[in-house]
Amino acid sequence: MPKRALCSYGIDIDAVSGWINTRDGKLANPTDVSRGVFGATVGIDRLLKLWDKYNIKTTWFTPAHSAESFPGQIRKIVDKGHEIGLHGYTHEFVSVLSEQQQRDVLERSIKVLTDITGKRPRGWTAPAWSTSRETIKLLEEFGIEYDHSFMHHDSQPYYVPDASLSTHVETDVSKPASHWMSPMSTLKPSSVVEIPANWHLDDWPPFQLSLSQPSTHGFVDTAVIERLWKEQFEYHYRECPDGGSFVFPISIHPQVSGKPQVLLLHERLIEWINGHEGVEWVTMEQIVDEFKNGKLSGVSIEGGVDF
């Protein structure tokens, strides 16, 4: 029985929203804003052409600000048969929001995407993958079925642990060592399915130049990242037993992967991956459906101890 490799592209339509997420209200650089407009227009159009070329359906995570600012582009994505998921309003870093602010953003974002697409979103990814202890609890509260932000595993779906139900003690050197020398408590799974996030399968850090984000590079040779992505797939494919399966979620951004040199990387990568038996290109909601109905075994995340 052949192995299955479920490959999925998650596209974050940060557009203008990511650049105006200054967090303290300072004015955004108009040139950066223009880069966001490029992503929402030229970048989206080029990626849609790429997916058409290879007959691939993908998942697009959009801040509600992007959806409200470029509704025609969002409808174009939906008309092509792709999935739309949640990604905040203005790409707010959830980790710095109060619980009420998180709730307000979720409520507004769900309404915006539902009104524009005609379908309630099923999935969510945290802007910058910066989550909070309340994240999973709130996703459950709002009926969101899956998340794409956590990294407990890198190639299998699972029910993500709810951080609000477990404890750990951060190191605080202003206190006696006995204060922090304690294990974490048992991880408790939620009802939210996790499609793993992975910084090493993300186009932003190597290919996006940002003078305000030290983690970005901007001028990494595409051949380096192509090899990095291929090696990850090669390992998972080799280690997957016959009859088994794994997921390979790639995270990209239209204002990054919409650039010519990165588009050519994706073409080479897709064609190379397609040379393997058992490859399927799917949306993230398809992975979730198969995991929930038992067609994908996935994994269980364990850790911590009972006190």
Side-chain angles (χ1 to χ4, degrees):
M1 188 174 179
K3 60 186 71 177
R4 298 178 68 202
L6 278 70
C7 302
S8 184
Y9 271 103
I11 305 104
D12 294 350
I13 315 175
D14 297 350
V16 172
S17 72
W19 298 113
I20 63 176
N21 172 27
T22 59
R23 281 168 281 172
D24 61 1
K26 67 182 179 184
L27 297 178
N29 184 323
T31 297
D32 285 339
V33 171
S34 76
R35 297 165 76 180
V37 174
F38 169 92
T41 55
V42 179
I44 285 178
D45 288 347
R46 288 176 176 173
L47 286 175
L48 286 174
K49 184 178 179 180
L50 177 69
W51 309 142
D52 282 347
K53 178 178 180 178
Y54 292 101
N55 193 28
I56 292 174
K57 299 305 179 187
T58 57
T59 298
W60 300 66
F61 294 104
T62 181
H65 181 277
S66 300
E68 288 191 306
S69 300
F70 303 92
Q73 291 294 85
I74 302 303
R75 294 191 187 99
K76 190 184 298 183
I77 293 167
V78 174
D79 289 345
K80 291 281 188 177
H82 301 283
E83 178 192 6
I84 298 291
L86 297 157
H87 197 38
Y89 188 85
T90 51
H91 205 262
E92 306 90 350
F93 290 5
V94 174
S95 57
V96 302
L97 302 182
S98 69
E99 183 171 338
Q100 187 57 49
Q101 286 174 320
Q102 294 175 62
R103 185 175 281 106
D104 291 344
V105 168
L106 267 173
E107 184 176 15
R108 171 69 181 274
S109 300
I110 291 171
K111 183 179 188 308
V112 167
L113 297 197
T114 302
D115 288 347
I116 291 176
T117 68
K119 178 183 176 182
R120 195 177 194 279
R122 299 174 63 189
W124 179 85
T125 187
W129 291 335
S130 177
T131 57
S132 72
R133 286 185 59 80
E134 300 85 23
T135 289
I136 298 303
K137 178 183 71 173
L138 290 174
L139 293 184
E140 288 183 317
E141 178 183 322
F142 281 90
I144 302 303
E145 295 181 56
Y146 78 88
D147 170 68
H148 175 56
S149 312
F150 289 91
M151 306 179 185
H152 301 86
H153 205 282
D154 61 357
S155 61
Q156 293 291 337
Y158 58 92
Y159 286 105
V160 63
D162 184 345
S164 70
L165 300 179
S166 62
T167 60
H168 58 262
V169 181
E170 282 82 1
T171 305
D172 183 350
V173 296
S174 69
K175 298 179 180 179
S178 58
H179 173 77
W180 69 76
M181 292 194 294
S182 174
M184 67 185 297
S185 66
T186 305
L187 295 174
K188 294 179 171 57
S190 68
S191 62
V192 176
V193 177
E194 182 64 31
I195 307 299
N198 185 346
W199 281 116
H200 292 102
L201 283 174
D202 190 301
D203 66 351
W204 189 276
F207 297 135
Q208 180 66 286
L209 176 67
S210 173
L211 301 179
S212 62
Q213 297 176 358
S215 61
T216 61
H217 304 287
F219 294 97
V220 175
D221 187 343
T222 56
V224 172
I225 302 306
E226 181 179 346
R227 185 176 71 247
L228 175 65
W229 290 0
K230 284 181 176 179
E231 286 176 346
Q232 292 177 78
F233 181 90
E234 186 176 37
Y235 176 85
H236 295 315
Y237 193 86
R238 185 192 75 187
E239 296 298 310
C240 182
D242 290 340
S245 62
F246 68 94
V247 298
F248 194 69
I250 305 168
S251 298
I252 66 173
H253 305 74
Q255 59 190 288
V256 180
S257 284
K259 295 298 180 69
Q261 73 276 18
V262 190
L263 284 164
L264 291 176
L265 181 161
H266 289 299
E267 289 186 357
R268 295 191 301 270
L269 179 71
I270 291 167
E271 291 175 5
W272 178 83
I273 287 177
N274 283 345
H276 296 74
E277 183 182 8
V279 166
E280 301 172 39
W281 292 95
V282 296
T283 63
M284 292 191 183
E285 66 179 348
Q286 287 176 273
I287 295 174
V288 171
D289 287 341
E290 290 212 18
F291 178 63
K292 282 189 167 184
N293 66 27
K295 290 184 178 179
L296 295 178
S297 57
V299 294
S300 297
I301 303 303
E302 299 179 355
V305 294
D306 291 325
F307 291 151

